[in-house]
mmCIF file of all heavy atoms in Angstrom:
data_model
loop_
_atom_site.group_PDB
_atom_site.id
_atom_site.type_symbol
_atom_site.label_atom_id
_atom_site.label_comp_id
_atom_site.label_asym_id
_atom_site.label_seq_id
_atom_site.Cartn_x
_atom_site.Cartn_y
_atom_site.Cartn_z
ATOM 1 N N LYS U 324 -29.572 10.181 11.279
ATOM 2 C CA LYS U 324 -29.826 9.807 12.665
ATOM 3 C C LYS U 324 -30.855 8.727 12.803
ATOM 4 O O LYS U 324 -30.865 8.058 13.817
ATOM 5 C CB LYS U 324 -30.259 11.118 13.446
ATOM 6 C CG LYS U 324 -29.172 12.206 13.463
ATOM 7 C CD LYS U 324 -29.738 13.418 14.249
ATOM 8 C CE LYS U 324 -28.669 14.469 14.275
ATOM 9 N NZ LYS U 324 -29.108 15.731 15.000
ATOM 10 N N ASN U 325 -31.756 8.642 11.867
ATOM 11 C CA ASN U 325 -32.900 7.710 12.002
ATOM 12 C C ASN U 325 -32.551 6.367 11.408
ATOM 13 O O ASN U 325 -33.437 5.522 11.297
ATOM 14 C CB ASN U 325 -34.153 8.221 11.463
ATOM 15 C CG ASN U 325 -34.536 9.432 12.270
ATOM 16 O OD1 ASN U 325 -34.468 9.551 13.452
ATOM 17 N ND2 ASN U 325 -35.109 10.445 11.463
ATOM 18 N N SER U 326 -31.396 6.200 10.893
ATOM 19 C CA SER U 326 -31.022 4.882 10.216
ATOM 20 C C SER U 326 -31.035 3.738 11.218
ATOM 21 O O SER U 326 -30.669 3.900 12.374
ATOM 22 C CB SER U 326 -29.629 4.928 9.535
ATOM 23 O OG SER U 326 -28.640 5.233 10.518
ATOM 24 N N LYS U 327 -31.524 2.577 10.780
ATOM 25 C CA LYS U 327 -31.694 1.451 11.622
ATOM 26 C C LYS U 327 -30.450 0.567 11.624
ATOM 27 O O LYS U 327 -29.995 0.171 10.604
ATOM 28 C CB LYS U 327 -32.936 0.637 11.282
ATOM 29 C CG LYS U 327 -34.208 1.462 11.448
ATOM 30 C CD LYS U 327 -35.447 0.594 11.038
ATOM 31 C CE LYS U 327 -36.727 1.361 11.221
ATOM 32 N NZ LYS U 327 -37.909 0.554 10.825
ATOM 33 N N ARG U 328 -30.004 0.230 12.785
ATOM 34 C CA ARG U 328 -28.884 -0.722 12.818
ATOM 35 C C ARG U 328 -29.345 -2.154 12.788
ATOM 36 O O ARG U 328 -30.421 -2.463 13.390
ATOM 37 C CB ARG U 328 -28.032 -0.569 14.036
ATOM 38 C CG ARG U 328 -27.071 0.674 13.991
ATOM 39 C CD ARG U 328 -26.238 0.706 15.239
ATOM 40 N NE ARG U 328 -25.302 -0.352 15.193
ATOM 41 C CZ ARG U 328 -24.377 -0.553 16.184
ATOM 42 N NH1 ARG U 328 -24.362 0.129 17.259
ATOM 43 N NH2 ARG U 328 -23.536 -1.605 16.050
ATOM 44 N N PRO U 329 -28.655 -3.019 12.040
ATOM 45 C CA PRO U 329 -29.110 -4.437 12.058
ATOM 46 C C PRO U 329 -29.088 -4.988 13.502
ATOM 47 O O PRO U 329 -28.247 -4.552 14.261
ATOM 48 C CB PRO U 329 -28.008 -5.057 11.122
ATOM 49 C CG PRO U 329 -27.461 -3.911 10.318
ATOM 50 C CD PRO U 329 -27.533 -2.781 11.138
ATOM 51 N N THR U 330 -29.902 -5.969 13.641
ATOM 52 C CA THR U 330 -29.946 -6.615 15.044
ATOM 53 C C THR U 330 -28.831 -7.642 15.099
ATOM 54 O O THR U 330 -28.654 -8.403 14.104
ATOM 55 C CB THR U 330 -31.348 -7.328 15.224
ATOM 56 O OG1 THR U 330 -32.370 -6.324 14.938
ATOM 57 C CG2 THR U 330 -31.387 -7.881 16.515
ATOM 58 N N LYS U 331 -28.125 -7.582 16.289
ATOM 59 C CA LYS U 331 -27.160 -8.688 16.443
ATOM 60 C C LYS U 331 -27.775 -9.923 16.755
ATOM 61 O O LYS U 331 -28.357 -10.095 17.827
ATOM 62 C CB LYS U 331 -26.191 -8.219 17.634
ATOM 63 C CG LYS U 331 -25.486 -6.866 17.366
ATOM 64 C CD LYS U 331 -24.682 -6.497 18.545
ATOM 65 C CE LYS U 331 -24.073 -5.094 18.386
ATOM 66 N NZ LYS U 331 -23.328 -4.610 19.616
ATOM 67 N N LYS U 332 -27.759 -10.876 15.914
ATOM 68 C CA LYS U 332 -28.320 -12.256 16.000
ATOM 69 C C LYS U 332 -27.181 -13.205 16.260
ATOM 70 O O LYS U 332 -26.157 -13.206 15.600
ATOM 71 C CB LYS U 332 -29.165 -12.662 14.777
ATOM 72 C CG LYS U 332 -30.242 -11.545 14.474
ATOM 73 C CD LYS U 332 -30.968 -11.991 13.150
ATOM 74 C CE LYS U 332 -31.941 -10.981 12.769
ATOM 75 N NZ LYS U 332 -32.587 -11.230 11.445
ATOM 76 N N ARG U 333 -27.435 -14.176 17.135
ATOM 77 C CA ARG U 333 -26.457 -15.175 17.359
ATOM 78 C C ARG U 333 -26.331 -16.038 16.101
ATOM 79 O O ARG U 333 -27.304 -16.378 15.395
ATOM 80 C CB ARG U 333 -26.852 -16.114 18.535
ATOM 81 C CG ARG U 333 -26.833 -15.287 19.880
ATOM 82 C CD ARG U 333 -26.704 -16.303 21.040
ATOM 83 N NE ARG U 333 -25.560 -17.170 21.048
ATOM 84 C CZ ARG U 333 -24.329 -16.771 21.553
ATOM 85 N NH1 ARG U 333 -24.218 -15.512 22.010
ATOM 86 N NH2 ARG U 333 -23.274 -17.564 21.524
ATOM 87 N N GLY U 334 -25.029 -16.342 15.795
ATOM 88 C CA GLY U 334 -24.876 -17.152 14.606
ATOM 89 C C GLY U 334 -24.788 -16.388 13.294
ATOM 90 O O GLY U 334 -24.487 -16.818 12.305
ATOM 91 N N ILE U 335 -25.032 -15.075 13.413
ATOM 92 C CA ILE U 335 -25.016 -14.132 12.205
ATOM 93 C C ILE U 335 -23.914 -13.113 12.369
ATOM 94 O O ILE U 335 -23.690 -12.512 13.454
ATOM 95 C CB ILE U 335 -26.308 -13.389 12.056
ATOM 96 C CG1 ILE U 335 -27.479 -14.371 11.842
ATOM 97 C CG2 ILE U 335 -26.166 -12.551 10.830
ATOM 98 C CD1 ILE U 335 -27.528 -15.277 10.758
ATOM 99 N N VAL U 336 -22.958 -13.130 11.395
ATOM 100 C CA VAL U 336 -21.874 -12.099 11.496
ATOM 101 C C VAL U 336 -22.431 -10.791 11.130
ATOM 102 O O VAL U 336 -23.108 -10.506 10.081
ATOM 103 C CB VAL U 336 -20.779 -12.507 10.480
ATOM 104 C CG1 VAL U 336 -19.738 -11.436 10.410
ATOM 105 C CG2 VAL U 336 -20.139 -13.859 10.787
ATOM 106 N N LEU U 337 -22.011 -9.731 11.912
ATOM 107 C CA LEU U 337 -22.417 -8.411 11.702
ATOM 108 C C LEU U 337 -21.197 -7.694 11.218
ATOM 109 O O LEU U 337 -20.175 -7.469 11.879
ATOM 110 C CB LEU U 337 -22.921 -7.695 12.936
ATOM 111 C CG LEU U 337 -23.380 -6.104 12.749
ATOM 112 C CD1 LEU U 337 -24.538 -6.055 11.789
ATOM 113 C CD2 LEU U 337 -23.786 -5.567 14.114
ATOM 114 N N LEU U 338 -21.303 -7.267 9.875
ATOM 115 C CA LEU U 338 -20.143 -6.755 9.150
ATOM 116 C C LEU U 338 -20.237 -5.214 9.110
ATOM 117 O O LEU U 338 -21.123 -4.669 8.556
ATOM 118 C CB LEU U 338 -20.103 -7.261 7.762
ATOM 119 C CG LEU U 338 -19.000 -6.626 6.714
ATOM 120 C CD1 LEU U 338 -17.594 -6.740 7.281
ATOM 121 C CD2 LEU U 338 -19.144 -7.205 5.413
ATOM 122 N N HIS U 339 -19.364 -4.502 9.860
ATOM 123 C CA HIS U 339 -19.293 -3.037 9.833
ATOM 124 C C HIS U 339 -18.321 -2.623 8.712
ATOM 125 O O HIS U 339 -17.216 -2.959 8.685
ATOM 126 C CB HIS U 339 -18.671 -2.569 11.141
ATOM 127 C CG HIS U 339 -19.558 -2.886 12.298
ATOM 128 N ND1 HIS U 339 -20.612 -2.080 12.766
ATOM 129 C CD2 HIS U 339 -19.534 -4.050 13.172
ATOM 130 C CE1 HIS U 339 -21.171 -2.621 13.841
ATOM 131 N NE2 HIS U 339 -20.601 -3.800 14.123
ATOM 132 N N GLN U 340 -18.965 -1.908 7.683
ATOM 133 C CA GLN U 340 -18.075 -1.438 6.601
ATOM 134 C C GLN U 340 -18.792 -0.080 6.076
ATOM 135 O O GLN U 340 -19.745 0.311 6.476
ATOM 136 C CB GLN U 340 -18.131 -2.483 5.505
ATOM 137 C CG GLN U 340 -19.415 -2.807 4.836
ATOM 138 C CD GLN U 340 -19.280 -3.556 3.569
ATOM 139 O OE1 GLN U 340 -18.388 -3.212 2.767
ATOM 140 N NE2 GLN U 340 -20.035 -4.511 3.267
ATOM 141 N N PHE U 341 -18.009 0.483 5.139
ATOM 142 C CA PHE U 341 -18.377 1.644 4.436
ATOM 143 C C PHE U 341 -19.622 1.431 3.521
ATOM 144 O O PHE U 341 -19.677 0.325 2.966
ATOM 145 C CB PHE U 341 -17.254 2.381 3.734
ATOM 146 C CG PHE U 341 -16.138 2.786 4.566
ATOM 147 C CD1 PHE U 341 -14.857 2.283 4.325
ATOM 148 C CD2 PHE U 341 -16.332 3.621 5.627
ATOM 149 C CE1 PHE U 341 -13.748 2.670 5.060
ATOM 150 C CE2 PHE U 341 -15.289 3.994 6.454
ATOM 151 C CZ PHE U 341 -14.023 3.557 6.164
ATOM 152 N N ALA U 342 -20.437 2.437 3.389
ATOM 153 C CA ALA U 342 -21.599 2.269 2.467
ATOM 154 C C ALA U 342 -21.151 2.161 1.046
ATOM 155 O O ALA U 342 -20.054 2.527 0.652
ATOM 156 C CB ALA U 342 -22.503 3.508 2.634
ATOM 157 N N PRO U 343 -22.016 1.573 0.196
ATOM 158 C CA PRO U 343 -21.609 1.445 -1.291
ATOM 159 C C PRO U 343 -21.386 2.763 -1.960
ATOM 160 O O PRO U 343 -21.931 3.766 -1.580
ATOM 161 C CB PRO U 343 -22.885 0.771 -1.889
ATOM 162 C CG PRO U 343 -23.653 0.039 -0.680
ATOM 163 C CD PRO U 343 -23.340 0.960 0.462
ATOM 164 N N PHE U 344 -20.520 2.705 -2.941
ATOM 165 C CA PHE U 344 -20.249 3.954 -3.783
ATOM 166 C C PHE U 344 -21.230 3.774 -5.041
ATOM 167 O O PHE U 344 -21.936 2.814 -5.153
ATOM 168 C CB PHE U 344 -18.872 3.977 -4.191
ATOM 169 C CG PHE U 344 -17.933 4.663 -3.227
ATOM 170 C CD1 PHE U 344 -18.291 4.719 -1.824
ATOM 171 C CD2 PHE U 344 -16.799 5.308 -3.629
ATOM 172 C CE1 PHE U 344 -17.516 5.398 -0.941
ATOM 173 C CE2 PHE U 344 -15.958 5.925 -2.722
ATOM 174 C CZ PHE U 344 -16.337 6.032 -1.371
ATOM 175 N N GLU U 345 -21.183 4.704 -5.915
ATOM 176 C CA GLU U 345 -22.101 4.724 -7.044
ATOM 177 C C GLU U 345 -21.818 3.627 -8.028
ATOM 178 O O GLU U 345 -22.679 3.182 -8.697
ATOM 179 C CB GLU U 345 -21.994 6.115 -7.684
ATOM 180 C CG GLU U 345 -22.550 7.287 -6.818
ATOM 181 C CD GLU U 345 -22.618 8.552 -7.602
ATOM 182 O OE1 GLU U 345 -22.166 8.553 -8.729
ATOM 183 O OE2 GLU U 345 -23.085 9.595 -7.034
ATOM 184 N N LEU U 346 -20.497 3.250 -8.261
ATOM 185 C CA LEU U 346 -20.220 2.254 -9.225
ATOM 186 C C LEU U 346 -19.575 0.887 -8.717
ATOM 187 O O LEU U 346 -19.228 0.086 -9.457
ATOM 188 C CB LEU U 346 -19.145 2.883 -10.255
ATOM 189 C CG LEU U 346 -19.705 4.108 -10.955
ATOM 190 C CD1 LEU U 346 -18.527 4.694 -11.895
ATOM 191 C CD2 LEU U 346 -20.822 3.901 -11.874
ATOM 192 N N ALA U 347 -19.501 0.918 -7.391
ATOM 193 C CA ALA U 347 -18.887 -0.336 -6.714
ATOM 194 C C ALA U 347 -19.610 -0.512 -5.411
ATOM 195 O O ALA U 347 -20.068 0.425 -4.783
ATOM 196 C CB ALA U 347 -17.435 -0.129 -6.575
ATOM 197 N N VAL U 348 -19.585 -1.705 -4.930
ATOM 198 C CA VAL U 348 -20.230 -2.048 -3.606
ATOM 199 C C VAL U 348 -19.489 -1.323 -2.491
ATOM 200 O O VAL U 348 -20.065 -1.220 -1.338
ATOM 201 C CB VAL U 348 -20.406 -3.500 -3.373
ATOM 202 C CG1 VAL U 348 -21.396 -4.108 -4.414
ATOM 203 C CG2 VAL U 348 -19.068 -4.234 -3.456
ATOM 204 N N SER U 349 -18.318 -0.938 -2.684
ATOM 205 C CA SER U 349 -17.506 -0.249 -1.675
ATOM 206 C C SER U 349 -16.367 0.456 -2.379
ATOM 207 O O SER U 349 -15.887 0.049 -3.413
ATOM 208 C CB SER U 349 -16.990 -1.209 -0.518
ATOM 209 O OG SER U 349 -16.210 -0.508 0.387
ATOM 210 N N GLY U 350 -15.906 1.562 -1.711
ATOM 211 C CA GLY U 350 -14.755 2.253 -2.274
ATOM 212 C C GLY U 350 -13.432 1.711 -1.530
ATOM 213 O O GLY U 350 -12.395 2.212 -1.728
ATOM 214 N N SER U 351 -13.739 0.752 -0.600
ATOM 215 C CA SER U 351 -12.597 0.321 0.258
ATOM 216 C C SER U 351 -12.272 -1.147 -0.132
ATOM 217 O O SER U 351 -13.065 -2.087 -0.010
ATOM 218 C CB SER U 351 -13.005 0.351 1.727
ATOM 219 O OG SER U 351 -12.187 -0.472 2.554
ATOM 220 N N PRO U 352 -10.993 -1.393 -0.578
ATOM 221 C CA PRO U 352 -10.620 -2.781 -0.876
ATOM 222 C C PRO U 352 -10.773 -3.759 0.210
ATOM 223 O O PRO U 352 -11.254 -4.867 0.073
ATOM 224 C CB PRO U 352 -9.117 -2.633 -1.376
ATOM 225 C CG PRO U 352 -9.082 -1.241 -1.944
ATOM 226 C CD PRO U 352 -10.043 -0.383 -1.032
ATOM 227 N N PRO U 353 -10.337 -3.410 1.488
ATOM 228 C CA PRO U 353 -10.462 -4.404 2.608
ATOM 229 C C PRO U 353 -11.890 -4.679 2.833
ATOM 230 O O PRO U 353 -12.258 -5.905 3.154
ATOM 231 C CB PRO U 353 -9.886 -3.659 3.809
ATOM 232 C CG PRO U 353 -8.899 -2.686 3.266
ATOM 233 C CD PRO U 353 -9.493 -2.257 1.922
ATOM 234 N N CYS U 354 -12.861 -3.754 2.708
ATOM 235 C CA CYS U 354 -14.266 -3.968 2.948
ATOM 236 C C CYS U 354 -14.790 -4.968 1.889
ATOM 237 O O CYS U 354 -15.507 -6.013 2.196
ATOM 238 C CB CYS U 354 -15.095 -2.718 2.930
ATOM 239 S SG CYS U 354 -14.813 -1.608 4.287
ATOM 240 N N THR U 355 -14.536 -4.730 0.631
ATOM 241 C CA THR U 355 -14.973 -5.601 -0.425
ATOM 242 C C THR U 355 -14.385 -6.996 -0.223
ATOM 243 O O THR U 355 -15.073 -7.993 -0.518
ATOM 244 C CB THR U 355 -14.630 -4.906 -1.864
ATOM 245 O OG1 THR U 355 -15.150 -3.671 -1.955
ATOM 246 C CG2 THR U 355 -15.098 -5.787 -2.995
ATOM 247 N N LYS U 356 -13.161 -7.038 0.031
ATOM 248 C CA LYS U 356 -12.564 -8.315 0.121
ATOM 249 C C LYS U 356 -13.145 -9.172 1.345
ATOM 250 O O LYS U 356 -13.472 -10.366 1.091
ATOM 251 C CB LYS U 356 -11.052 -8.157 0.518
ATOM 252 C CG LYS U 356 -10.253 -9.542 0.640
ATOM 253 C CD LYS U 356 -8.937 -9.329 1.388
ATOM 254 C CE LYS U 356 -9.055 -8.836 2.828
ATOM 255 N NZ LYS U 356 -7.784 -8.628 3.420
ATOM 256 N N LEU U 357 -13.444 -8.567 2.369
ATOM 257 C CA LEU U 357 -14.011 -9.263 3.470
ATOM 258 C C LEU U 357 -15.411 -9.720 3.175
ATOM 259 O O LEU U 357 -15.874 -10.855 3.476
ATOM 260 C CB LEU U 357 -14.024 -8.483 4.798
ATOM 261 C CG LEU U 357 -14.572 -9.086 6.103
ATOM 262 C CD1 LEU U 357 -13.946 -10.416 6.354
ATOM 263 C CD2 LEU U 357 -14.385 -8.173 7.208
ATOM 264 N N GLU U 358 -16.185 -8.832 2.619
ATOM 265 C CA GLU U 358 -17.589 -9.264 2.217
ATOM 266 C C GLU U 358 -17.505 -10.361 1.168
ATOM 267 O O GLU U 358 -18.383 -11.309 1.236
ATOM 268 C CB GLU U 358 -18.399 -8.117 1.691
ATOM 269 C CG GLU U 358 -19.831 -8.432 1.366
ATOM 270 C CD GLU U 358 -20.744 -7.320 1.065
ATOM 271 O OE1 GLU U 358 -20.260 -6.170 0.972
ATOM 272 O OE2 GLU U 358 -21.977 -7.492 1.068
ATOM 273 N N THR U 359 -16.614 -10.266 0.238
ATOM 274 C CA THR U 359 -16.487 -11.291 -0.788
ATOM 275 C C THR U 359 -16.083 -12.660 -0.092
ATOM 276 O O THR U 359 -16.522 -13.683 -0.533
ATOM 277 C CB THR U 359 -15.464 -10.925 -1.819
ATOM 278 O OG1 THR U 359 -15.833 -9.680 -2.482
ATOM 279 C CG2 THR U 359 -15.330 -12.024 -2.932
ATOM 280 N N PHE U 360 -15.267 -12.578 0.874
ATOM 281 C CA PHE U 360 -14.807 -13.835 1.630
ATOM 282 C C PHE U 360 -16.091 -14.418 2.216
ATOM 283 O O PHE U 360 -16.283 -15.687 2.151
ATOM 284 C CB PHE U 360 -13.758 -13.570 2.603
ATOM 285 C CG PHE U 360 -13.540 -14.746 3.539
ATOM 286 C CD1 PHE U 360 -12.627 -15.715 3.099
ATOM 287 C CD2 PHE U 360 -14.110 -14.810 4.721
ATOM 288 C CE1 PHE U 360 -12.455 -16.825 3.898
ATOM 289 C CE2 PHE U 360 -13.862 -15.936 5.559
ATOM 290 C CZ PHE U 360 -12.978 -16.960 5.146
ATOM 291 N N LEU U 361 -16.976 -13.655 2.792
ATOM 292 C CA LEU U 361 -18.101 -14.160 3.530
ATOM 293 C C LEU U 361 -19.043 -14.819 2.516
ATOM 294 O O LEU U 361 -19.591 -15.911 2.804
ATOM 295 C CB LEU U 361 -18.869 -12.983 4.189
ATOM 296 C CG LEU U 361 -18.198 -12.428 5.488
ATOM 297 C CD1 LEU U 361 -18.755 -11.046 5.805
ATOM 298 C CD2 LEU U 361 -18.434 -13.466 6.634
ATOM 299 N N ARG U 362 -19.141 -14.216 1.273
ATOM 300 C CA ARG U 362 -19.968 -14.860 0.303
ATOM 301 C C ARG U 362 -19.339 -16.126 -0.233
ATOM 302 O O ARG U 362 -20.098 -17.096 -0.517
ATOM 303 C CB ARG U 362 -20.283 -13.810 -0.857
ATOM 304 C CG ARG U 362 -21.120 -12.661 -0.410
ATOM 305 C CD ARG U 362 -21.395 -11.638 -1.498
ATOM 306 N NE ARG U 362 -22.220 -10.584 -0.988
ATOM 307 C CZ ARG U 362 -23.320 -10.200 -1.699
ATOM 308 N NH1 ARG U 362 -23.602 -10.762 -2.895
ATOM 309 N NH2 ARG U 362 -24.183 -9.253 -1.272
ATOM 310 N N MET U 363 -18.067 -16.074 -0.517
ATOM 311 C CA MET U 363 -17.411 -17.297 -0.976
ATOM 312 C C MET U 363 -17.476 -18.479 -0.027
ATOM 313 O O MET U 363 -17.661 -19.613 -0.405
ATOM 314 C CB MET U 363 -15.938 -16.951 -1.279
ATOM 315 C CG MET U 363 -15.679 -16.005 -2.422
ATOM 316 S SD MET U 363 -14.017 -15.383 -2.537
ATOM 317 C CE MET U 363 -13.073 -16.910 -3.100
ATOM 318 N N SER U 364 -17.456 -18.166 1.212
ATOM 319 C CA SER U 364 -17.582 -19.211 2.287
ATOM 320 C C SER U 364 -18.961 -19.554 2.718
ATOM 321 O O SER U 364 -19.186 -20.414 3.577
ATOM 322 C CB SER U 364 -16.797 -18.689 3.561
ATOM 323 O OG SER U 364 -15.461 -18.385 3.176
ATOM 324 N N LYS U 365 -19.937 -18.804 2.195
ATOM 325 C CA LYS U 365 -21.347 -18.973 2.449
ATOM 326 C C LYS U 365 -21.690 -18.841 3.993
ATOM 327 O O LYS U 365 -22.423 -19.593 4.524
ATOM 328 C CB LYS U 365 -21.825 -20.392 1.919
ATOM 329 C CG LYS U 365 -21.644 -20.502 0.452
ATOM 330 C CD LYS U 365 -22.105 -21.847 -0.090
ATOM 331 C CE LYS U 365 -21.918 -21.945 -1.601
ATOM 332 N NZ LYS U 365 -22.355 -23.301 -2.079
ATOM 333 N N ILE U 366 -21.019 -17.810 4.556
ATOM 334 C CA ILE U 366 -21.225 -17.544 5.987
ATOM 335 C C ILE U 366 -22.377 -16.491 6.088
ATOM 336 O O ILE U 366 -22.379 -15.455 5.433
ATOM 337 C CB ILE U 366 -19.955 -17.036 6.583
ATOM 338 C CG1 ILE U 366 -18.852 -18.061 6.635
ATOM 339 C CG2 ILE U 366 -20.247 -16.511 8.036
ATOM 340 C CD1 ILE U 366 -17.482 -17.571 7.094
#
Side-chain angles (χ1 to χ4, degrees):
K324 296 180 179 180
N325 298 322
S326 58
K327 297 179 180 179
R328 285 189 65 184
T330 306
K331 300 176 187 178
K332 303 174 184 176
R333 292 199 63 81
I335 303 293
V336 173
L337 182 59
L338 171 58
H339 298 270
Q340 65 163 317
F341 298 123
F344 273 28
E345 292 184 0
L346 301 176
V348 294
S349 177
S351 162
C354 289
T355 303
K356 179 193 69 178
L357 182 52
E358 183 169 11
T359 303
F360 172 83
L361 286 163
R362 290 177 175 233
M363 292 170 72
S364 303
K365 299 180 180 179
I366 295 174

